[in-house]
Amino acid sequence: QSTGSSGINAEYGEKTKNSSLTASSLRPPPRNKYTSVSLSRSLKMKLRTLVTKLESFAPTKHAESWDNVGLLLESSSSPAVKKVLTTIDLTEPVLEEAKSKQCSMILSYHPPIFSSFKRLTQDNAKSRIIINCVVSGISIYSPHTAWDSRNNGVNDWIVNCLSYKRKLPITPALIDGAPSTTCGMGRIVTLKSPLSLTKACATFKQHLGVSTLRLGHADPLQWVKRHKDSGQDYDVIRTVAVCAGSGGSLLKGVDADLYVTGEMSHHEVLAVIAEGRNVLLSEHTHTERGYLKSVVAELTKHVAEDVEFIVSESDANPIETI
């Protein structure tokens, strides 16, 4: 499933009651520096109100046309939301975590409902997850490429480890009929000072929280042809283009010294190398998962202080390096 490009795979493109209330028990506790936080956390927000705020935070109209974003499952048994579990993928372990933490909404970056369902049975994990959410009164919201597109979104987070003088979306969103300079799919940056390829690799390893990256190394002769006017040295990086998730389609032909994305096909990597460009592959969700911590802080501040947003501890990259 792609998270910023138009190339997708088949999966995505994969209480308690008090029985003896008294006047004193109804009296609110004194507001002081020790009780204010817990008081705010005791509040709830109507589901539809929260959805409106989430869509304002990252407008779904800026998501890719093929994507399935927004409110995907609305619980009738939990019309108000107190806790929201944020995750990259909604798996069965993540769902069990949401239930154990009494979350009434799961904010799943990747949409767990994408391809149409012919039936809902216990025979496969995706069906079981949806059935279990319905039974447990848990709503599902998916922002996916709306988060990729937004200003200060996933792709901006990827390049935040770089010192750059210019940043633009690769495919700008249209805002009031004009191409946006801050919102859209992918990002391309011009660095303030050039980086060696080795330094760029080390920078992204640290930022993405990974110990290994896969490198497609630019063809030296094609590099010279690309930089025949400037004479830029081999393995010196001045421009970087990024796409969260699967970037083969979005990054195709983009004029940059280095591409950074989660995954590309074998033949897409060959094409990049043959153009005299470098590409770093981190595995799909490593370009996305680190964004959750920063976005949870934003959601709490700008969307709903009365709702507790939690980053899943069960969500993890499904691929291990051994």
Side-chain angles (χ1 to χ4, degrees), residues 132-298:
N132 205 340
C133 282
V134 172
V135 171
S136 303
I138 297 176
S139 300
I140 302 172
Y141 186 95
S142 177
H144 201 204
T145 53
W147 274 10
D148 292 353
S149 178
R150 74 177 289 262
N151 184 27
N152 203 30
V154 184
N155 287 298
D156 294 298
W157 172 79
I158 296 173
V159 299
N160 278 349
C161 61
L162 301 173
S163 179
Y164 52 82
K165 59 185 178 182
R166 187 168 181 261
K167 177 177 69 173
L168 290 170
I170 293 171
T171 303
L174 291 178
I175 298 180
D176 296 328
S180 172
T181 58
T182 59
C183 179
M185 295 303 164
R187 295 293 184 268
I188 182 167
V189 299
T190 303
L191 303 180
K192 288 182 178 179
S193 301
L195 284 178
S196 69
L197 180 59
T198 301
K199 178 63 176 177
C201 290
T203 299
F204 279 109
K205 274 186 187 179
Q206 182 177 16
H207 183 59
L208 300 177
V210 297
S211 58
T212 60
L213 290 169
R214 292 186 292 161
L215 170 66
H217 206 171
D219 180 281
L221 294 179
Q222 296 304 317
W223 177 278
V224 171
K225 288 182 180 180
R226 278 190 58 238
H227 295 288
K228 62 181 179 181
D229 293 331
S230 64
Q232 184 173 323
D233 290 340
Y234 188 56
D235 282 355
V236 172
I237 307 300
R238 294 181 182 275
T239 52
V240 181
V242 305
C243 175
S246 179
S249 297
L250 184 68
L251 294 174
K252 186 177 182 179
V254 174
D255 189 14
D257 299 325
L258 174 65
Y259 293 167
V260 179
T261 188
E263 61 184 346
M264 280 187 178
S265 73
H266 172 78
H267 296 287
E268 287 169 338
V269 173
L270 286 177
V272 171
I273 293 171
E275 291 173 353
R277 311 183 200 282
N278 301 288
V279 58
L280 287 180
L281 306 178
S282 68
E283 299 299 348
H284 192 109
T285 61
H286 287 317
T287 56
E288 304 158 341
R289 189 164 285 105
Y291 177 66
L292 290 182
K293 289 184 179 180
S294 62
V295 79
V296 158
E298 275 196 277

